[in-house]
Amino acid sequence: MEPWSGIADADAHLGRPVPLPKATLPLARWVEVHAAGERAVEIEWNLDDTRDGSVGRLALYAGEAPPEERPWDVAVEQVELGGEQAEHRVVPLEEAEPPLKPAHELRWRLDGLHLRLTAQGPWRIEDLLAIGASVG
């Protein structure tokens, strides 16, 4: 498969515009856009983590089918995301660099799509919920 040139390729693969966050995100060093299965895409923001306490990464999966389940043996917490229910879980990732731990995962549905927001670093859950609620 040819490397994608940007979000228009993701729109074509998904068969509709990819929902994106409207919230302001931290400064990105680079962004990768790629297929994550049939009619599924993932956008990865690799963030500038050069300042102490910075977060390192954010990724958004959007697909007609749910994303593959990660082997994270942690409890799932139900949270409210923009007036809807979502699932949240956190993995410590002790071996990772500080800007990449812990890892958070939010999963919900929107307009017939399965969405998963994965965030690595010292994110506040309030900030992740605001980013998730802004996706559309």
Side-chain angles (χ1 to χ4, degrees):
M1 177 190 258
E2 289 289 316
W4 286 358
S5 60
I7 198 68
D9 292 332
D11 292 345
H13 184 76
L14 188 59
R16 61 192 275 187
V18 173
L20 296 169
K22 293 175 182 64
T24 302
L25 302 179
L27 179 65
R29 292 166 104 182
W30 74 91
V31 177
E32 296 179 13
V33 181
H34 59 86
E38 185 176 333
R39 295 182 67 93
V41 300
E42 190 164 47
I43 299 95
E44 299 174 7
W45 291 269
N46 295 282
L47 305 171
D48 184 340
D49 60 4
T50 57
R51 291 182 176 160
D52 286 342
S54 294
V55 294
R57 185 170 180 268
L58 189 69
L60 178 65
Y61 167 96
E64 290 184 351
E68 289 187 25
E69 194 65 39
R70 292 184 170 120
W72 292 1
D73 188 23
V74 295
V76 174
E77 173 190 12
Q78 295 296 315
V79 294
E80 186 176 320
L81 181 82
E84 301 294 329
Q85 288 297 303
E87 295 179 344
H88 174 242
R89 58 187 184 156
V90 181
V91 175
L93 297 182
E94 298 296 337
E95 70 283 356
E97 296 292 319
L100 297 176
K101 65 182 180 181
H104 292 262
E105 180 182 80
L106 286 174
R107 292 172 71 132
W108 74 103
R109 290 187 54 117
L110 177 70
D111 295 332
L113 291 175
H114 292 267
L115 299 173
R116 178 184 66 199
L117 187 66
T118 306
Q120 288 184 259
W123 290 90
R124 293 176 346 130
I125 184 62
E126 297 83 8
D127 295 335
L128 294 176
L129 291 171
I131 292 168
S134 79
V135 172

